[in-house]
Amino acid sequence: MTTTVATEQALTQRQLKARAGRRRLAGKLSAIIGTLPMMIVAIGVFVIGITFTVVLSFTNSKLFPSFNFVGWRQYEILWATPRWQQSVINIWFYGFGHIALCLGLGFALAVAIDQRIRGEDAFRTVFLYPFALSAVITGLVWQLMLDPNWGFQAFVRSLGYTDFTFAPLANSNTALLGMVVASVWNGVGVTMAILLSGLRGVDEEIWKAARIDGIPTWRTYISIVVPMMRGAVATALVLLVVNVVRTFDIVIAMTGGGPGISTQMPATYVIDNINSRNVGHGMAAATCMLLPIAVLIIVQAVYRWRASRRGRTT
Amino acid sequence: MSAISASAGIEPSGPRPKQVTAARVGIYAFLLIAALFFLIPLIVMIMTSMKSMNEIRGGNIFALPTQPTFDYWVKAWSSACTGVACTGLAPGFFNSVKITLLSVPISIVIAMINGYALSFWRFRGAELMFAILVFGAFVPFQVLVYPIIFGLSRVGLFGTLPGIVIVHTIFGMPILTLLFRNFFSSLPVELFKAARVDGAGFWRIFFSVMLPMSVPIAIVAVILQVTGIWNDFIFGLVFAGRENMPMTVQLNNIVRTSTGTVEYSTNMAATVLTGAVPLIVYFVSGKWFVRGIAAGAVKG
């Protein structure tokens, strides 16, 4: 009697286990079906797409892909082309200016807003709204402001200073500076928001301790607070670098790449080469654009790996 | 607003100094000058769009319009020339609405399922796929532009509405998936286990438990996508085709088309009209928008 009950129990348990196993399997199957779009994009677009671009950069593809391999030819031509050289110089100059100003001004604004000021929300709203506007709009508005005939120069001249000159976009030596001003106007609010959340994440006790020790406020910021919020700084920096490498819209809207080739960027170079049916060459330029991002990702991976290892040993 | 600052005044004095000192005056001066720098372009943009060209020529850009007019808004909307066609921004506006209305729900639903599966139904290879996807968020679009043009033309979708919707869905996927994965990972696992014990499967749990819970994060995702897709220029330029040209591309065409003297009144009116949608989203959604930005920034 008791033995039959036991076997019956064992049986039902085994059946239950089998049913649970089937259900788990069905769930996993559904998960795979549900994430098919993700897998198609990950493999089909990112892996195969990037491979396709890199492979084509070694061919002499014109409008359609051809698999006529020419080795490093496209890269040799690329780096001997003045417009590409100028694009690379431009993106370093623009990138340095944009990132330095966004971080510097963004940090200053975040610190100022963090001082328990009146109307904090109003200030934050004003600093952030340009980010809601597209790069095309940013470019167009600042083009007007910097146009010597209508903009800032005309305004100062109308006040009586008739030989005042301020026309950065008209001069190939200063056009990039105008673009930096416009892009900082658009992007500094986000940097401020990220850094502000970093500042707010620093424990209040740190400030009390620093004050008791008589450390001046600026010193506390530089030596204690900034190192503590390096996560926020890193996030802002990565975001800025990625955006700089992509820079395209603002160039088209603000200067069209001119005067001459003074505001050309790698992104405009790639698109122009695809449009002018020189795909192999354009893909070589695109592959070069991938390099700084690849470096960034490797650095981050190493950093994370070291952090996780440190976490395990302690 | 005043209530907030009043309550801030009652709070026990924190670590940061808050007496009326020279430093404090300096902070306000700095903030006010910065606010001016941020506001002037918007003010100039709106004022210029209401001035006649004669007035712009005679006066200065910081002067108020003497006879404010919306004529240029009407012109920018319905009759300004973009290339050869003189139809104004209106067709572009409706194209942008179509593209946004299709892309936003599709991309969010896909990302939501991705995030849910990654948090509760991990299967072999899922993390790798996700890592590739997040890596994709860093890749400059220019690296992928030609393969996508090639792929879409092979299936006949290049230059079509479905084509541009697919592109927006692809490029929205990394950051949105990350957003939803982080959200679902923050939910208690017991919630999921309880539903499992009750016999619910993958889709049942998704629709009955997870979907209703993810409304707040979905709002953030909607704001992120609506503003992102509305402001998009390059995808529209490359993939939408003449028929579906979004508003931003048309705006740029209007400005580039003007021959002779630049007609800034019309250009700025067109700019105001194009910028109105994201600005309204920003001012209406407030904190949600900021959360969206923060979420977008997390991809770093």
Side-chain angles (χ1 to χ4, degrees):
Chain A
M1 185 69 182
T2 46
T3 47
T4 46
V5 168
T7 44
E8 238 169 46
Q9 265 179 352
L11 210 90
T12 45
Q13 257 178 9
R14 207 181 306 149
Q15 276 174 335
L16 273 176
K17 228 179 224 172
R19 205 180 302 158
R22 270 201 300 280
R23 260 177 40 200
R24 209 174 308 133
L25 204 70
K28 283 218 165 142
L29 206 66
S30 305
I32 291 170
I33 292 167
T35 51
L36 265 182
M38 172 176 90
M39 291 190 264
I40 293 170
V41 168
I43 302 295
V45 178
F46 292 132
V47 174
I48 296 180
I50 292 170
T51 311
F52 196 59
T53 293
V54 174
V55 168
L56 286 187
S57 74
F58 292 102
T59 69
N60 63 356
S61 301
K62 290 298 174 195
L63 174 59
F64 295 103
S66 85
F67 294 95
N68 199 350
F69 288 93
V70 292
W72 294 94
R73 265 288 297 287
Q74 300 286 17
Y75 291 90
E76 283 160 17
I77 300 170
L78 181 71
W79 288 97
T81 306
R83 205 188 125 189
W84 172 257
Q85 294 168 351
Q86 188 64 43
S87 300
V88 174
I89 294 169
N90 286 347
I91 204 158
W92 278 101
F93 182 88
Y94 167 85
F96 183 79
H98 179 75
I99 293 171
L101 280 172
C102 276
L103 281 181
L105 197 57
F107 185 69
L109 290 172
V111 168
I113 276 196
D114 198 32
Q115 305 301 314
R116 292 168 191 256
I117 50 145
R118 275 166 184 280
E120 180 187 318
D121 284 1
F123 278 116
R124 250 207 310 224
T125 306
V126 168
F127 298 156
L128 260 172
Y129 90 86
F131 185 71
L133 296 170
S134 65
V136 170
I137 292 178
T138 303
L140 294 178
V141 173
W142 279 92
Q143 192 203 3
L144 164 66
M145 308 266 297
L146 301 177
D147 185 321
N149 296 317
W150 317 103
F152 195 65
Q153 174 183 301
F155 169 69
V156 176
R157 283 192 181 180
S158 75
L159 297 178
Y161 306 94
T162 45
D163 42 358
F164 174 78
T165 313
F166 183 70
L169 296 183
N171 183 332
S172 58
N173 292 322
T174 52
L176 266 181
L177 281 174
M179 203 179 284
V180 168
V181 171
S183 69
V184 167
W185 176 79
N186 182 278
V188 72
V190 186
T191 314
M192 177 215 71
I194 298 169
L195 295 180
L196 184 60
S197 75
L199 277 179
R200 296 264 153 99
V202 172
D203 196 345
E204 297 274 299
E205 298 300 315
I206 301 284
W207 284 100
K208 284 185 190 154
R211 269 218 311 197
I212 289 165
D213 287 349
I215 302 168
T217 312
W218 65 269
R219 196 64 219 267
T220 314
Y221 270 114
I222 291 173
S223 309
I224 304 169
V225 174
V226 173
M228 283 188 73
M229 53 185 271
R230 64 172 175 270
V233 176
T235 302
L237 189 67
V238 170
L239 198 70
L240 288 166
V241 170
V242 171
N243 281 338
V244 163
V245 178
R246 285 176 176 168
T247 307
F248 177 85
D249 302 11
I250 198 167
V251 181
I252 300 298
M254 204 170 179
T255 63
I261 53 169
S262 60
T263 52
Q264 291 291 343
M265 293 283 168
T268 61
Y269 190 88
V270 173
I271 300 293
D272 283 353
N273 271 287
I274 293 173
N275 284 337
S276 61
R277 309 176 168 200
N278 200 357
V279 166
H281 190 72
M283 293 305 100
T287 306
C288 291
M289 284 180 73
L290 198 57
L291 290 179
I293 301 295
V295 169
L296 200 69
I297 289 168
I298 292 168
V299 166
Q300 208 189 13
V302 169
Y303 184 79
R304 254 193 215 155
W305 176 72
R306 277 182 47 187
S308 74
R309 221 174 54 145
R310 208 179 305 140
R312 226 175 294 145
T313 47
T314 49
Chain B
M1 191 73 119
S2 55
I4 293 167
S5 35
S7 70
I10 300 163
E11 268 177 36
S13 65
R16 277 148 242 192
K18 71 177 275 300
Q19 312 89 327
V20 185
T21 59
R24 210 118 179 97
V25 173
I27 285 165
Y28 278 103
F30 171 63
L31 284 172
L32 285 173
I33 290 167
L36 218 59
F37 167 72
F38 285 104
L39 280 175
I40 279 178
L42 183 68
I43 295 167
V44 165
M45 182 165 109
I46 294 171
M47 287 195 318
T48 307
S49 74
M50 293 177 167
K51 289 178 189 170
S52 72
M53 280 312 286
N54 272 333
E55 201 184 335
I56 296 178
R57 216 166 276 134
N60 70 61
I61 51 164
F62 301 116
L64 285 170
T66 47
Q67 292 161 312
T69 168
F70 284 102
D71 290 355
Y72 296 99
W73 291 42
V74 176
K75 188 181 173 190
W77 177 255
S78 56
S79 68
C81 297
T82 66
V84 279
C86 292
T87 51
L89 280 170
F93 173 82
F94 292 111
N95 286 339
S96 284
V97 169
K98 262 191 280 183
I99 294 170
T100 309
L101 282 183
L102 284 170
S103 310
V104 171
I106 295 176
S107 56
I108 288 178
V109 166
I110 290 177
M112 213 181 241
I113 298 170
N114 286 347
Y116 161 65
L118 284 166
S119 305
F120 296 112
W121 298 88
R122 297 200 188 101
F123 55 91
R124 192 187 287 265
E127 284 299 313
L128 178 68
M129 293 296 154
F130 179 62
I132 295 173
L133 204 69
V134 173
F135 164 78
F138 292 97
V139 175
F141 161 69
Q142 285 74 20
V143 177
L144 292 164
V145 61
Y146 186 72
I148 297 178
I149 292 176
F150 185 70
L152 285 179
S153 17
R154 283 299 279 274
V155 292
L157 290 176
F158 180 67
T160 65
L161 186 62
I164 178 79
V165 170
I166 289 173
V167 171
H168 278 305
T169 308
I170 290 173
F171 285 97
M173 205 181 287
I175 174 62
L176 290 179
T177 300
L178 190 64
L179 188 72
F180 281 107
R181 191 197 75 142
N182 289 349
F183 171 76
F184 285 124
S185 302
S186 72
L187 294 180
V189 197
E190 286 70 29
L191 199 77
F192 172 74
K193 282 186 178 155
R196 290 283 289 152
V197 168
D198 289 348
F202 183 88
W203 296 108
R204 185 71 199 281
I205 297 175
F206 177 71
F207 285 110
S208 318
V209 182
M210 300 300 170
L211 202 61
M213 291 199 69
S214 47
V215 171
I217 198 76
I219 293 173
V220 172
V222 167
I223 292 165
L224 198 70
Q225 282 295 79
V226 168
T227 49
I229 293 171
W230 193 273
N231 285 337
D232 156 64
F233 174 73
I234 189 167
F235 295 156
L237 183 72
V238 176
F239 294 105
R242 200 164 278 283
E243 295 292 297
N244 311 298
M245 203 180 274
M247 202 177 190
T248 343
V249 177
Q250 268 202 338
L251 166 67
N252 190 54
N253 285 350
I254 287 180
V255 174
R256 295 285 149 226
T257 302
S258 39
T259 46
T261 355
V262 190
E263 197 176 286
Y264 272 122
S265 309
T266 313
N267 290 355
M268 285 304 122
T271 311
V272 171
L273 289 173
T274 312
V277 170
L279 275 185
I280 290 169
V281 171
Y282 173 61
F283 286 118
V284 170
S285 66
K287 287 225 162 77
W288 296 100
F289 185 89
V290 179
R291 279 186 61 185
I293 289 178
V298 172
K299 77 175 159 199

